[in-house]
Amino acid sequence: MSSYLVAQLYCTAVQADSVRAAATAELTKYTEFGQAQIVLKQEAETDYEMHLNWAREHPGQASGDRAYYLLEMTSPVDIPKSLLREAEDTITDWIGSTYNDGDTIEVPWASRAGTTLHA
């Protein structure tokens, strides 16, 4: 079994890299994530919901160099679900406290975490 934690972001490249750096720093606090690989990649825009929500909150403001990004953290070992959720909450809380003030969402995100069975 292996474990994963994925965050989808709609933001600038600088914001995405900042989230990656914070996630990397956070995951190093957990020995269970010692073998985890963390990859940030720009994603093709197949779902415009985050963009549309951002545009509604920023009327008249150009989206600039915003794009969709996937931050993928994968581990070849099984990480307890409670630790995956704790790490996920910590990372998404960081995004919220750093970029989103409650009224205005600068970095919309979605996340998921779980375990993959190997045949």
Side-chain angles (χ1 to χ4, degrees):
M1 293 191 352
S2 62
S3 299
Y4 65 89
L5 174 58
V6 178
Q8 180 186 36
L9 310 167
Y10 178 69
C11 58
T12 66
V14 170
Q15 290 167 328
D17 192 54
S18 178
V19 172
R20 182 208 46 79
T24 300
E26 184 58 36
L27 292 180
T28 60
K29 296 176 185 177
Y30 298 90
T31 56
E32 293 83 357
F33 283 94
Q35 297 180 45
Q37 291 186 321
I38 301 171
V39 177
L40 175 68
K41 60 185 176 183
Q42 190 168 344
E43 182 182 36
E45 294 185 29
T46 58
D47 172 11
Y48 293 96
E49 184 177 342
M50 287 183 182
H51 166 74
L52 295 174
N53 290 337
W54 184 89
R56 266 193 300 278
E57 291 187 6
H58 300 80
Q61 186 177 345
S63 62
D65 62 348
R66 291 181 175 279
Y68 285 91
Y69 292 89
L70 278 183
L71 179 62
E72 299 177 328
M73 294 147 279
T74 56
S75 174
V77 298
D78 184 28
I79 297 173
K81 195 171 200 167
S82 61
L83 277 179
L84 284 172
R85 294 291 177 221
E86 183 179 327
E88 179 181 24
D89 288 346
T90 301
I91 292 165
T92 56
D93 287 350
W94 184 90
I95 295 168
S97 66
T98 304
Y99 292 111
N100 305 333
D101 68 9
D103 293 332
T104 304
I105 306 297
E106 286 299 323
V107 178
W109 58 267
S111 64
R112 62 187 179 276
T115 303
T116 304
L117 298 175
H118 296 284

